[in-house]
Amino acid sequence: MGRQGGAGDGRSVRRAALLVLVVAACTAAPRPACEADGPLATICGFENPEDVAYSREHEAVVISEMRRGDAGGALSTLRPGSRTPRRLWPQTRLPGIEAGPAAGDPSCAPPDVAVFAPHGLFLAPAGLYVVNHGGRESVEIFRLDGVGEELEARWIGCVELPTGTSGNDVAVGPRGEVVVSNPSAPGGLLRASLASVLGLHTGDVLLWKAGSGWRRIPGSESSVPNGVAISADGQQVYYAEAGAGQVVRLGPDGSERTVVQVPGRPDNLSWSDSRTLRVASHESFLALAACWRGGPCRAPWAVYEIDAETLAVDRRLAHEGEKIGAVASAVSVGNRFYLGSAFGDRIGVWSAEEGGS
């Protein structure tokens, strides 16, 4: 585990890619329509809604839509209990951009709205932090105003990632420090995912502080690092290593590294109200990789909760992917869990009291 790649590994990656293409050549049947009822309901009207975050203050679930191809992506919002998503940013009726950056790197210019490609999300007291791949690799920062259906977002700043890196998930600490997972070189996530089958390191975890910039967290070199989280006191960083099927805890200086295995390929991390870590995990690499070809994605998945201190892992929900595939994130709102998917046209709403399906 954790080897660096060589010529032989490159050939193995190509063979793995060929296998995925063979699997992807199979035509997927149409997916059932979205369902409003049941323990696992679905809400349509999205494009690749991978990450979800909930703001109690603003009474809204925020969803990132990283559209593929030439079309720009968007941030959307959904009031809990509603089934009608609404565009949050960019909005044609609003400027949506403050004059000059008020957060992040003071030299950062506004993003190119036409190619905006949002990925990971994090809600902090200072605003909404969003990993962006469109036009640049960056963390974009937005101020949120309003409640529910009246929620508005305005861009207030950003931090560009170091050259040769790309972001996936983002978390913000109590002193404004920003942590980002760097799974691969820009545009190389699919190849990195294939390389992870061989246990190769493909990236690491980065930390940014105002005044000192970016640095790599020692000991975070890993196979497709994905979801990230920070403890409330900022003394512990957590990240999901998808390629190794584990979640890692370590200090911002790389100290006291501890690992716990999580079945499958763990994706985004989020905190629950009880301060356990919630992680969605993909249960079949081939099914997940085949979803890159487009069409209905039926990759199976599960949701786990991890005790932040003991790292005990509890499986909460598993699904074969028929209603919604490739679930990559989960946040709780009361007794409901909102589930983001890396592919497709829908999010999931799991009613924990009814037990899921």
Side-chain angles (χ1 to χ4, degrees):
M1 184 66 64
R3 297 177 294 118
Q4 297 299 317
D9 294 327
R11 289 191 292 272
S12 297
V13 171
R14 288 192 290 273
R15 286 195 291 270
L18 179 61
L19 177 60
V20 170
L21 288 174
V22 170
V23 173
C26 301
T27 301
R31 186 189 296 281
C34 281
E35 300 177 1
D37 301 317
L40 180 57
T42 46
I43 301 175
C44 286
F46 301 93
E47 290 188 54
N48 307 318
E50 176 162 348
D51 206 1
V52 292
Y54 174 62
S55 171
R56 182 176 287 103
E57 175 187 358
H58 298 287
E59 299 179 16
V61 177
V62 179
I63 306 105
S64 66
E65 297 188 70
M66 190 172 66
R67 300 188 179 114
R68 307 192 190 282
D70 296 330
L75 301 172
S76 295
T77 183
L78 185 75
R79 189 161 195 166
S82 169
R83 296 188 55 82
T84 305
R86 183 176 65 86
R87 171 72 68 88
L88 179 63
W89 197 90
Q91 283 273 23
T92 55
R93 66 183 180 84
L94 294 169
I97 294 177
E98 297 287 359
D105 186 339
S107 67
C108 190
D112 184 346
V113 173
V115 295
F116 179 58
H119 199 160
L121 304 175
F122 186 84
L123 279 161
L128 174 66
Y129 289 68
V130 182
V131 171
N132 170 47
H133 303 295
R136 63 190 181 194
E137 291 290 334
S138 57
V139 176
E140 309 292 341
I141 309 170
F142 298 85
R143 190 187 76 213
L144 299 181
D145 296 301
V147 174
E149 300 297 332
E150 304 302 318
L151 184 64
E152 295 179 353
R154 288 179 179 267
W155 181 89
I156 60 172
C158 91
V159 183
E160 292 197 50
L161 271 66
T163 301
T165 67
S166 67
N168 189 305
D169 198 16
V170 58
V172 180
R175 289 167 288 279
E177 63 272 39
V178 178
V179 171
V180 172
S181 53
N182 164 41
S184 70
L189 184 55
L190 179 56
R191 180 177 175 82
S193 297
L194 296 170
S196 72
V197 176
L198 306 174
L200 302 179
H201 285 172
T202 65
D204 47 29
V205 179
L206 307 172
L207 186 147
W208 178 88
K209 290 184 177 180
S212 58
W214 290 104
R215 65 173 176 85
R216 178 180 59 81
I217 295 180
S220 67
E221 302 89 344
S222 50
S223 181
V224 190
N226 200 318
V228 292
I230 307 177
S231 60
D233 62 5
Q235 297 304 302
Q236 293 175 319
V237 173
Y238 301 79
Y239 69 89
E241 185 176 358
Q246 60 189 24
V247 169
V248 180
R249 180 182 66 197
L250 75 175
D253 60 356
S255 62
E256 301 181 359
R257 189 178 190 274
T258 309
V259 174
V260 62
Q261 297 299 127
V262 175
R265 296 175 66 87
D267 206 307
N268 288 314
L269 297 176
S270 62
W271 290 107
S272 71
D273 289 340
S274 58
R275 298 304 290 178
T276 59
L277 274 174
R278 188 170 296 116
V279 58
S281 188
H282 307 289
E283 297 202 305
S284 168
F285 172 72
L286 281 179
L288 178 67
C291 293
W292 282 85
R293 65 167 174 75
C297 175
R298 289 182 169 83
W301 50 271
V303 174
Y304 296 86
E305 287 199 11
I306 303 173
D307 186 293
E309 295 302 320
T310 67
L311 296 184
V313 179
D314 178 30
R315 191 182 196 187
R316 297 296 309 278
L317 174 69
H319 185 64
E320 81 286 353
E322 177 62 21
K323 291 183 178 180
I324 177 173
V327 162
S329 58
V331 295
S332 55
V333 183
N335 68 334
R336 292 191 181 98
F337 286 72
Y338 285 80
L339 309 170
S341 172
F343 301 93
D345 65 346
R346 63 194 62 195
I347 65 171
V349 185
W350 165 39
S351 177
E353 288 185 350
E354 296 184 48
S357 64

